Amino acid sequence: MDLVDLVTVAAAFLTPPIAFLAALWARRSGRQAADATVVSGVNQAHGSVTAARVQTRGELELRQQAALADTSAAFLRASDALARTVEQLPGLALEERHAQLASRGMAVETALGPLELLAPPGLLRHAKALREYCRTLEKLALDRAVLRSAVQALEDGWCPLNAETCDHDHHSAAFVAWQFLLEWPGWEDEERWRDRGLLEYCLQESQCMSEREIAGVLAVVDRVPAAWSRMIGGLVRDPLMEQFVSLRTPFIEAARSAQPLMPTAEPDGARAWASNAVGV
C-alpha cells in the first residue's frame, strides 16, 4: 500500500470524528450564543425595571414636593390673611371684628394640619413658630383694634392748626386723651387710678367716639395689657406686624429650600411663593 492509499484510509477514519467535533463545536457555539442572548435579555429587563423604578421614585418625589409646595403656600396665605385682618380690624365696625378674626385664625390652624404630614423638620419648625405668633396676633387683635381705632379717632379730633395751643374744648380733650392712651402703660398704678376719671371725661368731651367705643377703650384701660405698647405702636413702626414679617421670611426660605426640584413659580403664577406682603 503506497502513501496515497494510506492517506486515503486515514482520511476515511478521521472524517467521522472531525464531523462529530465540528457538530459538537457548532452546537456549543449555538448554545453560548443563545445563553448570551438570554443574559442580554435578562440584563435589558433588569435595566428596564431599574429605570422604571428610578422614574417612579422621581415622579413620586415630584408629586410629594408639589404637595409640599401647595400646603406651604396654603399655610402662608392663611397666615397672611390673618395678619391683614389684624391690620384692618381697627377700621371695621365693632360687631364685625370678632367674626372676621375667628375665621382667619381657624384657617391658619386648618392649613397647618397637612403641612405637619409633609414638611421636613426644619420647615415644620418655622411653620409652628409662625403659627404660634398668629395665635398671639389673634389674642391681641381685638384690644389692638380698640386702642388703634381710638388713637386714630382722637387724632382726627385734634385742632387742624395746632393741637397743643388750641383752646377749643373738644379739640383739647381729644389731644389730652390721646396723650393719656400713649403714656398709660408707663404710669404707676396710683397715677393711673388718679387720672382714670380724667381720661374718661376727655374721651367723652372729645366727641370723637360713641359711648360703646368709649366703654371698650376704658375696658382695655382698666386691664392695662402687658403688650399695650406693642399693640398701639407708633407713628411709623408697628411692632406686632414687624415681628410677623420676621417669622414669615424664614418660613418662606425654608419652604423653598425643602423643594429643590420644584420651580419657585409656574408661568401662570400658581406656584408663586410670596402671597401679598403685609404692609408694615
Side-chain angles (χ1 to χ4, degrees):
M1 181 179 295
D2 56 17
L3 182 58
V4 174
D5 294 331
L6 289 174
V7 171
T8 302
V9 172
F13 280 104
L14 289 175
T15 296
I18 291 173
F20 174 76
L21 290 175
L24 183 62
W25 181 260
R27 182 181 177 184
R28 180 183 179 186
S29 297
R31 185 175 297 168
Q32 288 178 339
D35 291 343
T37 301
V38 171
V39 170
S40 177
V42 170
N43 289 337
Q44 185 176 2
H46 282 312
S48 299
V49 171
T50 301
R53 286 175 177 172
V54 170
Q55 183 178 4
T56 301
R57 283 198 299 269
E59 292 175 350
L60 178 60
E61 288 180 4
L62 284 174
R63 287 197 297 269
Q64 289 175 337
Q65 290 196 8
L68 179 57
D70 290 338
T71 55
S72 299
F75 176 72
L76 182 61
R77 285 193 299 270
S79 301
D80 283 352
L82 172 64
R84 283 195 299 272
T85 299
V86 171
E87 280 194 308
Q88 296 165 0
L89 219 57
L92 297 180
L94 292 176
E95 57 273 10
E96 297 178 11
R97 292 176 181 174
H98 186 271
Q100 287 275 352
L101 188 64
S103 63
R104 297 304 188 188
M106 181 60 68
V108 174
E109 299 294 334
T110 302
L112 183 66
L115 199 55
E116 288 180 311
L117 299 176
L118 296 170
L123 175 58
L124 186 57
R125 183 175 65 254
H126 287 294
K128 287 185 174 181
L130 186 57
R131 188 271 307 272
E132 287 303 315
Y133 193 72
C134 284
R135 288 177 173 177
T136 299
L137 282 179
E138 186 178 4
K139 181 180 178 181
L140 300 177
L142 293 176
D143 283 350
R144 177 184 183 275
V146 168
L147 291 175
R148 291 178 74 90
S149 61
V151 167
Q152 184 61 56
L154 292 170
E155 289 177 354
D156 293 341
W158 288 357
C159 176
L161 300 176
N162 190 328
E164 294 183 351
T165 61
C166 177
D167 59 0
H168 190 286
D169 290 344
H170 300 326
H171 295 171
S172 298
F175 183 72
V176 172
W178 176 85
Q179 285 185 311
F180 276 3
L181 290 184
L182 264 60
E183 299 170 0
W184 198 255
W187 292 358
E188 298 294 335
D189 290 343
E190 291 183 359
E191 294 175 311
R192 287 196 290 263
W193 179 83
R194 181 195 64 204
D195 290 333
R196 199 271 193 189
L198 179 57
L199 171 57
E200 182 176 1
Y201 169 79
C202 289
L203 289 172
Q204 294 172 342
E205 185 65 18
S206 70
Q207 298 185 357
C208 296
M209 291 174 281
S210 67
E211 289 296 328
R212 184 182 179 189
E213 290 172 327
I214 292 175
V217 173
L218 293 176
V220 178
V221 163
D222 291 339
R223 286 188 286 106
V224 196
W228 183 295
S229 298
R230 295 169 61 208
M231 290 189 295
I232 208 166
L235 297 177
V236 177
R237 295 190 58 195
D238 189 343
L240 284 181
M241 292 301 107
E242 289 177 358
Q243 181 65 20
F244 174 80
V245 173
S246 72
L247 293 170
R248 178 185 188 272
T249 300
F251 169 77
I252 295 175
E253 293 173 351
R256 286 174 173 161
S257 298
Q259 303 156 60
L261 301 180
M262 293 299 298
T264 57
E266 293 181 350
D268 61 355
R271 196 72 66 197
W273 273 109
S275 49
N276 293 333
V278 179
V280 294

